[in-house]
Amino acid sequence: MKIHFYGLLHIADNDININFKPKSNDEKVRVYIKNSELLAKSLLHDNINYTLLTNNEKELNRIYKSPILNIKEINFKTKIIKGSHFYPCYYRIDVFNFLSKQKNQFSFLIDLDVVLIRSVIKKIQKLARKKNVLVNDITDLILPAYGFDRINFEFSLLKNKKWKKKWYGADFIAGSNLFFENLYQSIKPIYKKFQENFNELKNQGDELFLSSAIEEVICKDKFNFIDARSKKIIARYWSVPRKHYQESFEKLFQNNMVHFLADKKFLANYENDNFSREKFIKDYKNYNFSLTKIFKNIFSLIYNKYIKFNKMYY
């Protein structure tokens, strides 16, 4: 099957993002576009095609016209209650609908602040089958942040069922058009429940109703679900204080792709004209373990633990 990677950049004026604080909306969009460029450059080393999906290509080009990105404007119909956490990501629902129409293709939807640091093409070529689905199981990263009781309660609001103790990251999901069609149909009624219970769920992101919808698709027993994280295809790396246990830098960087959730500005400013995986790893390591970064993390740890009532990243 043909393999194609996609990213999503839906332009919104007042989205909430705890990992990135831009000075203006234009700066925010420019950082996201530059992140996409770096991702595209890294994928190019494996000859993988990448497309950035958006609701406004003209506005993207006004803010920063990328010389390398393939940008496609699609229709977005999902209604969002403003004030939702990470609400532009909710438009992934429309992307699932778009991917359901991409026949004879194994589509990957990944976050913009991901970088391919080790060749992955042979691995995913073996897995790119019509009945296979790749997901990112991050249950162990979420539980320390929210706790079982809270997550179980939130799932019950969406489906009146107990949580099956699986939380899937929205930063990485892949499958055929048949899978995305099933996912799209499953997620619509669940998202409606999310909106009906908005006051209880407004501090959540799209991963809650995505995980719930994936549970529904799994129950249909039509597809073979594969955890890409256990296959070392994708890893999350937090360069800031967090509640969950994080594996060592060296171990996480043995994965094919790494999601740098708190480093969007670093990625945006990184020189990618002659991208080299080896150089990127070296440069990121120098940045991550610099005295400046260590000092900022110590300050952030104290601030989040004692001033913001222990509100830390997961």
Side-chain angles (χ1 to χ4, degrees), residues 13 71 106 134 174 181 219 223 225 266 277 296 300-301:
D13 292 330
I71 299 174
F106 201 82
L134 299 181
E181 181 181 357
C219 289
F223 302 96
F225 281 79
F266 170 83
R277 294 167 181 161
K296 286 182 178 179
S300 177
L301 180 64

Side-chain angles (χ1 to χ4, degrees), residues 17-49:
N17 193 320
I18 62 172
N19 306 328
F20 169 46
K21 297 179 181 178
K23 295 178 182 178
S24 66
N25 190 61
D26 278 13
E27 182 195 13
K28 173 191 68 182
V29 174
R30 183 182 181 279
V31 166
Y32 285 144
I33 297 173
K34 294 292 288 182
N35 285 178
S36 298
E37 281 192 333
L38 182 59
L39 170 57
K41 281 278 188 176
S42 68
L43 291 171
L44 193 60
H45 277 245
D46 268 11
N47 294 314
I48 295 174
N49 292 322

